[in-house]
Amino acid sequence: MLWTPTKDFVEKSNVTQFLTWLRDRRGLNLADYDALWHWSVTEIEAFWGALWDYFEVQSSTPYSRVVDRLTMGPGVRWFEGSRVNFAEHMLRYEGNVDEPGFYHLSETRPLGTLSRRELGAQVRILATQLRALGVGPGDRVVSYMPNIVETAVAMLATVAIGAVWSSAAPEFGVKTVIERFSQIEPKVLFAADGYRFGGKDFDRLEEARSIIAALPSLKTVVWLPYLRPGVEAPPVPDAVLWRELMDHSPVPGHLFSYERVPHDHPLWVVFSSGTTGLPKAIVHSHVGALMEMMKLAHFHLNLKPGGVIFFYTTTGWVMWNIILAGLLMGSAVVLYDGSPVHPGPDVLWKMAADTGATCFGASPTYIQILERNGIEPGRDFDLSRLESILLGGSPSTPENFAWFYDKVKRDLWVTSQSGGTEIASGFVGASPTLPVHAGEIQTRMLGMDVHAWTDDGREVTGEVGELVVTSPFPSMPAFFWNDKGDKRYRESYFEVFDGVWRHGDFIKINERGGCYIYGRSDSTLNRYGVRIGTAEIYRAVEQVDGVLDSIIVCCELPGGNFYMPLFVKLKPGRVLDEAMRKAINGKLRLDCSPRHVPDEIHQVPDVPYTLTGKKLEVPLRKILMGWAPEKAASRDAMANPPAIDWYIGFAEERKQTAVA
């Protein structure tokens, strides 16, 4: 045990306030968080109905029922009959309107603030101009912009008028962006001319031009000269400049109407890559994301009016969507665009001190960088307002936790949380009423009926199993875009256990409810918190001259590290030399992103396949992580059984080298 909340911290927590509300308003006496969680997953309608009232959700019409069924699967309907708008709730907080809504910092701009009043004014202007451009409910609006305040304003304005938002980070390669956006046929594209990372400028003019050319559905391109503010050279002649859209008279709040939409109306499309085909285009609804994010921000992040939340992310990751939920609770959100270690490895901690951050978030990998550089934030900066740490993106270790208590401050609620793009939230996470144990995720989140199951569907405690969810929750995907009959949706989460969500993570839940995540159980790569589809890598690698076939895996290592080797089968007479390695890495960096570049590349005689033509990614990963080959892969299920022998030998050599 590393930390126990003080009595005062517990009493002032949002969890305790809700327990009091339930007692006073519902006559429900729940002793503690554990009792609250059990109630939330057994009395599902009562729990979510109580949250609707507790958060005073604004709807044009009352809902007819909380949920239409309690069995898991696509198509569960939440709060039918209601009409809400996600952006309206993001901007409705009635605190001091002159308090910051956003703090924003980048390698090209100094630290600045945007007040709640200014934020609302900008959103109303942009939303009004989007309507004037013919954008309406259901139209798709996409972004190829960095993590800057303009991107957040564009998202809120899009959502405010009932249009559907989607975002890609500017470090994504052209092909990666096109594979995402072409699926949803956007009407408007917001794009920036580039970004700066690690002191180096990355121009995106040509990339934007290529993306625009590949999206015939586009009617309007909005161009932001961000990297070079004085150079207004858009990628297409008829592009609209950001400043032109914003150079209009203010729109008074009482004259602006938010588009309140039905319960199942799409809010945004986020993308999570599988092992085959195009990235999954996951759609969340306004009411689903609203209910889930209010719950997450209020109870599991303990955000309050006057709080300040930061998490290091890019616009291509669902964490960007999630941290904006701080606005729902009256907290300010810190947006940062740039390298986490430039101009020095302490840049984010200086920013935390300057903004008065109360919640600081990053991945465990970032902590390793700080350790190597001898950074001690608690010694060098005023972090007196800091209350909590949010670790996410990959499994955390006891050493990660210990670092915060040693180098930041002793009285600190250090949390590790785990969820996914698919739900825009977490399955397991934190409660401010519980103690912190080294390397342990404190609890299962409210409303998340999470369990660890064996392969034959038996629940286990204190053992590693598959993370499953046995009851529905509002932020399940409303649907996948262009997924007729929910075929891909079902294959992704309901194919292994009938009527049960199998997420693809290994989890252990101990006797007191503490949780440990052990990485992916399926073949989607998870490298430093960024999920990567193997299909994206294969499409790029196998276009390189001389490459015949390939297979890639990512293994979680002790200390939060990762090992991602790529194995390539070459055409006859070709050899994997330095030139080919550079060509492969360059192709991955260009078409995908720097995160797709493997740690090593090895030439192999063959790539193992199943009898049904699928690459043996999961068995190969297990072999490299030390499983006995006969337990990791069945030769009877292989189309070419001898192919696996090379990899078994490779794994044994790695093991012997590590021992030596």
Side-chain angles (χ1 to χ4, degrees), residues 385-440:
R385 280 177 48 85
L386 187 64
E387 294 182 348
S388 64
I389 298 296
L390 171 60
L391 287 169
S394 59
S396 299
T397 66
E399 292 78 11
N400 296 148
F401 280 52
W403 184 87
F404 284 102
Y405 289 106
D406 291 342
K407 305 301 183 184
V408 180
K409 63 196 299 188
R410 289 300 306 166
D411 186 15
L412 197 61
W413 177 38
V414 177
T415 77
S416 177
Q417 315 209 21
S418 182
T421 300
E422 304 88 335
I423 65 169
S425 185
F427 290 117
V428 293
S431 170
T433 63
L434 299 175
V436 172
H437 294 82
E440 182 177 302

Side-chain angles (χ1 to χ4, degrees), residues 197-468:
F197 188 91
K200 182 180 179 182
D201 288 347
F202 293 86
D203 185 281
R204 282 297 178 261
L205 177 63
E206 290 305 317
E207 285 80 358
R209 190 169 285 144
S210 298
I211 292 166
I212 293 164
L215 299 175
S217 60
L218 286 177
K219 303 298 183 186
T220 304
V221 173
V222 181
W223 185 246
L224 175 68
Y226 164 65
L227 186 61
R228 289 177 292 277
V231 182
E232 296 180 344
V236 290
D238 58 349
V240 180
L241 294 173
W242 173 273
R243 63 169 179 80
E244 294 174 346
L245 277 187
M246 301 305 294
D247 187 19
H248 287 84
S249 300
V251 181
H254 68 279
L255 295 180
F256 180 81
S257 61
Y258 289 93
E259 188 73 35
R260 292 184 176 178
V261 294
H263 70 283
D264 57 353
H265 187 84
L267 167 65
W268 55 46
V269 183
V270 289
F271 293 91
S272 181
S273 299
T275 56
T276 58
L278 293 171
K280 297 190 291 285
I282 299 165
V283 181
H284 294 119
S285 69
H286 278 246
V287 75
L290 175 64
M291 295 302 295
E292 181 59 44
M293 288 189 167
M294 288 193 297
K295 182 208 74 177
L296 171 70
H298 193 68
F299 300 122
H300 302 292
L301 300 179
N302 203 37
L303 294 180
K304 302 174 183 178
V308 179
I309 181 173
F310 166 75
F311 192 96
Y312 182 74
T313 183
T314 72
T315 54
W317 187 16
V318 76
M319 279 305 300
W320 184 80
N321 305 60
I322 291 173
I323 63 165
L324 294 187
L327 295 173
L328 291 167
M329 297 297 114
S331 292
V333 176
V334 182
L335 305 175
Y336 175 73
D337 175 46
S339 166
V341 294
H342 182 84
D346 60 356
V347 61
L348 298 185
W349 291 102
K350 182 180 186 305
M351 181 184 67
D354 291 343
T355 59
T358 56
C359 178
F360 181 97
S363 71
T365 309
Y366 172 65
I367 308 311
Q368 297 168 19
I369 296 172
L370 298 175
E371 281 186 295
R372 290 197 298 268
N373 286 275
I375 302 300
E376 296 190 30
R379 176 196 64 193
D380 299 331
F381 300 102
D382 177 9
L383 301 174
S384 54
R385 280 177 48 85
L386 187 64
E387 294 182 348
S388 64
I389 298 296
L390 171 60
L391 287 169
S394 59
S396 299
T397 66
E399 292 78 11
N400 296 148
F401 280 52
W403 184 87
F404 284 102
Y405 289 106
D406 291 342
K407 305 301 183 184
V408 180
K409 63 196 299 188
R410 289 300 306 166
D411 186 15
L412 197 61
W413 177 38
V414 177
T415 77
S416 177
Q417 315 209 21
S418 182
T421 300
E422 304 88 335
I423 65 169
S425 185
F427 290 117
V428 293
S431 170
T433 63
L434 299 175
V436 172
H437 294 82
E440 182 177 302
I441 299 173
Q442 286 177 297
T443 186
R444 288 170 279 193
M445 289 189 178
L446 298 177
M448 293 294 182
D449 201 0
V450 171
H451 304 275
W453 278 17
T454 59
D455 289 344
D456 58 0
R458 178 174 54 88
E459 183 172 3
V460 291
T461 300
E463 298 179 26
V464 177
E466 289 276 359
L467 190 162
V468 300

Side-chain angles (χ1 to χ4, degrees), residues 67-125:
V67 62
D68 71 331
R69 70 174 195 265
L70 295 178
T71 53
M72 278 293 262
V76 179
R77 297 175 179 270
W78 290 90
F79 298 100
E80 284 183 277
S82 65
R83 297 186 71 92
V84 304
N85 186 279
F86 184 84
E88 180 179 13
H89 287 79
M90 297 276 274
L91 297 170
R92 74 169 178 166
Y93 187 74
E94 296 179 357
N96 182 353
V97 292
D98 291 320
E99 289 182 349
F102 287 117
Y103 291 95
H104 49 95
L105 174 69
S106 76
E107 291 191 21
T108 62
R109 297 173 176 173
L111 180 64
T113 61
L114 189 72
S115 71
R116 288 184 169 273
R117 187 195 308 275
E118 293 167 329
L119 173 59
Q122 290 194 19
V123 169
R124 288 192 297 272
I125 289 174

Side-chain angles (χ1 to χ4, degrees), residues 21-82:
W21 185 90
L22 287 173
R23 183 194 64 207
D24 295 344
R25 300 290 186 90
R26 296 290 197 267
L28 190 64
N29 287 295
L30 300 172
D32 52 22
Y33 181 88
D34 187 56
L36 179 61
W37 177 80
H38 280 281
W39 175 70
S40 76
V41 297
T42 55
E43 301 294 335
I44 294 170
E45 291 178 272
F47 170 68
W48 290 104
L51 287 193
W52 182 279
D53 295 339
Y54 179 70
F55 289 127
E56 299 180 350
V57 176
Q58 303 298 302
S59 173
S60 299
T61 54
Y63 62 82
S64 58
R65 54 185 174 182
V66 172
V67 62
D68 71 331
R69 70 174 195 265
L70 295 178
T71 53
M72 278 293 262
V76 179
R77 297 175 179 270
W78 290 90
F79 298 100
E80 284 183 277
S82 65

Side-chain angles (χ1 to χ4, degrees), residues 384-560:
S384 54
R385 280 177 48 85
L386 187 64
E387 294 182 348
S388 64
I389 298 296
L390 171 60
L391 287 169
S394 59
S396 299
T397 66
E399 292 78 11
N400 296 148
F401 280 52
W403 184 87
F404 284 102
Y405 289 106
D406 291 342
K407 305 301 183 184
V408 180
K409 63 196 299 188
R410 289 300 306 166
D411 186 15
L412 197 61
W413 177 38
V414 177
T415 77
S416 177
Q417 315 209 21
S418 182
T421 300
E422 304 88 335
I423 65 169
S425 185
F427 290 117
V428 293
S431 170
T433 63
L434 299 175
V436 172
H437 294 82
E440 182 177 302
I441 299 173
Q442 286 177 297
T443 186
R444 288 170 279 193
M445 289 189 178
L446 298 177
M448 293 294 182
D449 201 0
V450 171
H451 304 275
W453 278 17
T454 59
D455 289 344
D456 58 0
R458 178 174 54 88
E459 183 172 3
V460 291
T461 300
E463 298 179 26
V464 177
E466 289 276 359
L467 190 162
V468 300
V469 190
T470 55
S471 301
F473 49 92
S475 69
M476 291 169 56
F479 56 91
F480 288 2
W481 204 273
N482 293 330
D483 183 26
K484 188 176 181 180
D486 293 319
K487 181 178 183 293
R488 199 174 185 196
Y489 190 171
R490 294 181 187 278
E491 289 175 349
S492 298
Y493 307 109
F494 298 103
E495 197 173 52
V496 176
F497 302 113
D498 186 39
V500 172
W501 178 293
R502 171 194 170 269
H503 190 59
D505 277 346
F506 285 127
I507 187 174
K508 180 173 72 176
I509 304 173
N510 62 26
E511 291 74 10
R512 62 170 172 266
C515 306
Y516 297 83
I517 297 292
Y518 291 94
R520 301 297 299 166
S521 62
D522 63 15
S523 56
T524 298
L525 309 177
N526 188 339
R527 191 189 197 201
Y528 298 115
V530 177
R531 291 183 60 179
I532 300 170
T534 55
E536 294 177 297
I537 290 179
Y538 299 146
R539 281 196 294 272
V541 170
E542 290 164 22
Q543 290 178 21
V544 175
D545 181 43
V547 176
L548 191 63
D549 204 355
S550 61
I551 188 167
I552 191 167
V553 295
C554 187
C555 305
E556 292 81 13
L557 302 177

